[in-house]
Amino acid sequence: MHSEQVPEPAPGSAGPRDWAWTRLETPIGPLLLAATRDGLAQVVFHADERRTRRALTRLEQRFGGPPAPGTPHLRTAAAELTAYFSGELRSFTVPLDWSLTSGFNARVLHALADDVPYGSVVGYQYLADRVGEAGAARAVGAAMGSNPLPVVVPCHRVVASDGGIGGFGGGLETKRLLLALEGVLPAPLF
């Protein structure tokens, strides 16, 4: 008797989840967007073919199977990011699926999403204080680096306390471009 092999559910999930993805061309390079029925789940910078394949493999493992069409949040996320990059959107409304983060990192990212609006910046220490972990500024930096939803959850708005730009998973030039788009830094001359 033949039985079909069902993929193991991702750790912490109730079983396989429907998800879909697309690649969006933007002024900061291609972004891979992945969404579930719950919301936008991941944004990947510099989504060339190699990086896209790696991200899709990880997402298939995490969500317990291959992508499936018909995830409305993906269209919403792509439309909102397009409007953001054209200067027409300052606040995202696409629902977010926070399942790719947890614990301290999730608390910090929620505080960032809720408290740091378009065109503003905060320091790592501000977010550490905001989540009640005064000595955790370095851990906040690690949380920014693990952000599965960059741009939408605006880790580019977190800067160093010494006035420096700080680090950024998408690269410092990408961070500068995002901050210039929001009017925090002057636009690059070339």
Side-chain angles (χ1 to χ4, degrees):
M1 183 168 164
H2 178 267
S3 65
E4 189 172 315
Q5 190 80 356
V6 176
E8 286 294 313
S13 73
R17 299 176 62 199
D18 289 340
W19 67 283
W21 70 278
T22 192
R23 196 172 6 207
L24 181 68
E25 291 299 326
T26 75
I28 60 168
L31 298 177
L32 179 139
L33 310 177
T36 67
R37 296 198 182 281
D38 294 330
L40 182 64
Q42 187 162 44
V43 175
V44 177
F45 287 116
H46 314 297
D48 60 17
E49 201 166 311
R50 190 178 111 240
R51 190 165 279 161
T52 295
R53 275 195 314 270
R54 284 194 332 242
L56 294 177
T57 298
R58 284 190 310 269
L59 289 164
E60 282 190 24
Q61 292 169 348
R62 182 64 189 238
F63 293 136
T71 305
H73 301 306
L74 196 56
R75 285 186 297 281
T76 302
E80 288 190 357
L81 280 160
T82 299
Y84 168 82
F85 284 112
S86 67
E88 300 167 10
L89 182 82
R90 292 180 170 224
S91 181
F92 294 96
T93 62
V94 64
L96 301 178
D97 175 338
W98 293 93
S99 66
L100 298 180
T101 189
S102 62
F104 176 81
N105 290 358
R107 289 180 22 231
V108 169
L109 293 171
H110 277 277
L112 173 63
D114 294 343
D115 297 341
V116 185
Y118 183 98
S120 64
V121 294
V122 297
Y124 297 97
Q125 186 61 53
Y126 169 85
L127 287 172
D129 293 343
R130 185 74 180 85
V131 297
E133 301 284 345
R138 286 188 186 271
V140 167
M144 296 302 103
S146 74
N147 181 4
L149 295 161
V151 182
V152 178
V153 176
C155 52
H156 60 278
R157 296 180 190 152
V158 183
V159 297
S161 60
D162 65 3
I165 195 168
F168 193 62
L172 293 183
E173 185 58 26
T174 299
K175 186 171 187 172
R176 284 186 193 94
L177 290 169
L178 292 169
L179 291 172
L181 173 73
E182 294 187 10
V184 175
L185 291 177
L189 297 175
F190 45 87

